[in-house]
Amino acid sequence: MGMVFGKINVETPNHEVIKATADYEIRRYPPAVVAQVTYDPSEFRGNKDGGFTLLANYIGALGDPQNTKPETIAMTAPVITKTGEKIAMTAPVVTKTEGEEKKMVTMEFLLPAKYQRAEEAPAPVDKRVVIREEGERKYGAVRFGGVASDGVVEEKVEMLKKGLERDGFKVIGEYLLARYNPPWTLPPFRTNEILIPIE
């Protein structure tokens, strides 16, 4: 019942808040291990969460884990969406849109912190799932509630970019949309964040 009302009861990534203003935070995140899949969303016949299903199968969230141990891997939050265009996701995952003509999507799950290196994580059975390491990252971040619709996200991204640039921070990549709750969480209880990579 707590998940319907926004209770976050899974591991979230540690980070250090370097600076906090009324408009945003500057955060440093340590290295992490991620499970990643790149796919053409049209493969899934309109199911925009097709990549989520592949990754959820890998960790065992939807049944027996589809990895070589087999080992059930705990779900984490948030789901992170990297995109230059439309947003396509819901729970602890990373998604980014690549290319102009063929709109490929890359989605990632941050694996629990107990996996310090890629080789420590169980190998996926499905070869579309790739395990990789992500180095230390620094972001400008803003938190907001409700539904992360395209319009709301666009507005939050623009406001955050303007605040960062006004204060002398250099933006070095596309924004991330972080969603901390499952899709069945009531909208007023949802926690979302926009993260913009900075130097």
Side-chain angles (χ1 to χ4, degrees), residues 8-192:
I8 301 165
N9 57 2
V10 296
E11 181 181 326
T12 58
N14 289 326
H15 63 273
E16 172 191 359
V17 176
I18 300 168
K19 176 180 179 177
T21 74
D23 300 322
Y24 60 82
E25 289 182 344
I26 301 298
R27 300 177 184 169
R28 181 179 289 117
Y29 287 82
V33 176
V34 300
Q36 171 182 292
V37 62
T38 300
Y39 65 98
D40 178 351
S42 64
E43 293 174 32
F44 295 97
R45 297 187 190 138
N47 174 7
K48 65 181 184 178
D49 295 339
F52 180 90
T53 302
L54 295 174
L55 293 169
N57 284 336
Y58 162 69
I59 69 169
L62 303 176
D64 292 333
Q66 294 181 13
N67 59 61
T68 55
K69 286 215 174 166
E71 175 182 323
T72 300
I73 300 168
M75 194 71 153
T76 63
V79 172
I80 301 176
T81 307
K82 295 181 188 176
T83 180
E85 312 219 340
K86 295 272 182 191
I87 292 151
M89 248 329 291
T90 48
V93 189
V94 180
T95 313
K96 66 181 174 185
T97 306
E98 297 175 356
E100 288 295 334
E101 292 175 16
K102 191 172 185 182
K103 292 183 179 161
M104 300 297 284
V105 173
T106 299
M107 187 174 293
E108 300 171 349
F109 278 23
L110 296 170
L111 296 184
K114 72 175 188 173
Y115 301 109
Q116 296 289 304
R117 297 191 316 269
E119 58 270 19
E120 294 173 0
V125 171
D126 189 325
K127 297 303 176 197
R128 292 175 290 183
V129 178
V130 175
I131 307 303
R132 68 175 188 79
E133 295 175 19
E134 193 166 75
E136 183 178 274
R137 291 99 58 218
K138 192 161 119 179
Y139 297 112
V142 64
R143 182 170 280 200
F144 63 101
V147 176
S149 66
D150 290 351
V152 169
V153 168
E154 191 175 309
E155 179 184 316
K156 299 292 182 188
V157 168
E158 285 312 306
M159 287 174 60
L160 179 55
K161 272 187 184 172
K162 283 180 184 170
L164 292 170
E165 288 167 356
R166 175 194 68 219
D167 295 343
F169 292 101
K170 184 178 178 187
V171 172
I172 57 169
E174 295 299 320
Y175 74 88
L176 312 177
L177 169 62
R179 301 181 197 185
Y180 284 82
N181 312 102
W184 54 83
T185 302
L186 296 172
F189 301 104
R190 294 183 186 179
T191 299
N192 310 295

